[in-house]
């Protein structure tokens, strides 16, 4: 049995982003319970040269949404990067999940060998559809979701591996 491009893309991305939404909800509750200004957590970083939590969530949602649009050969919906609260970030994830759910298997399956050119930082990266999904989209989304989780965990939000992985 083979795994289709759609199945390799949409369910894992949706699950990671859904789990991130739950993690953010826990962070909001933690901030409220401990009397922490949510902006402190939203702007927290693991290291000074890394992006803050807000930007980690923005990048994860952008890569998921834009990556699938690129595979499907359609224009991705633009989103302003203006989130200022946990509710805003959760809303951004919900919008992204709606976007992912709108893709059909007919749009994504069969894109394994589709040439993908990705302009990034003054150069153009070249992929096949499959390598784009497996070696760019998924790892980048996982990296930024993990970093968001780590920022919150580092700042005292009570999170565990189950929060990151979600329920089976």
């Amino acid at each position: 049995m083979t795994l289709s491009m759609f199945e390799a893309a949409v369910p894992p991305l949706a699950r990671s982003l859904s789990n991130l939404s739950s993690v953010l909800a826990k962070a909001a509750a933690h901030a409220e319970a401990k009397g922490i200004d949510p902006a402190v957590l939203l702007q927290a970083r693991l290291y000074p040269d890394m992006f803050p939590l807000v930007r980690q969530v923005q990048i994860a949602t952008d890569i998921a949404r834009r990556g699938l649009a690129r595979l499907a050969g359609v224009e991705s919906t633009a989103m302003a990067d203006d989130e200022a609260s946990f509710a805003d970030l959760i809303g951004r994830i919900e919008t992204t999940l709606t976007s992912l759910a709108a893709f059909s298997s007919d749009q994504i399956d069969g894109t394994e060998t589709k040439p993908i050119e990705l302009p990034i930082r003054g150069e153009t990266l070249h992929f096949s559809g499959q390598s784009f999904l497996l070696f760019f989209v998924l790892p980048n989304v996982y990296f930024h979701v993990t970093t968001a989780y780590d920022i919150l965990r580092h700042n005292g939000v009570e999170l565990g591996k189950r929060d990151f992985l979600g329920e089976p």
Side-chain angles (χ1 to χ4, degrees), residues 13-14 16-18 20-21 24 53-69 76-81 83 88-100 103 137 140-142 144-145 148:
L13 290 171
S16 288
L17 293 174
S18 293
L20 177 58
S21 183
L24 294 173
L53 175 68
V54 168
R55 190 73 186 121
Q56 300 293 338
V57 175
Q58 291 167 343
I59 293 170
T61 55
D62 284 348
I63 290 173
R65 195 179 65 261
R66 291 177 185 162
L68 285 185
S76 175
T77 55
M79 294 181 78
D81 294 333
E83 293 79 19
D88 290 344
L89 289 176
I90 291 167
R92 182 184 183 100
I93 292 170
E94 289 171 0
T95 299
T96 300
L97 291 172
T98 299
S99 174
L100 297 182
F103 287 103
V137 175
N140 270 286
V141 170
Y142 294 151
H144 291 285
V145 169

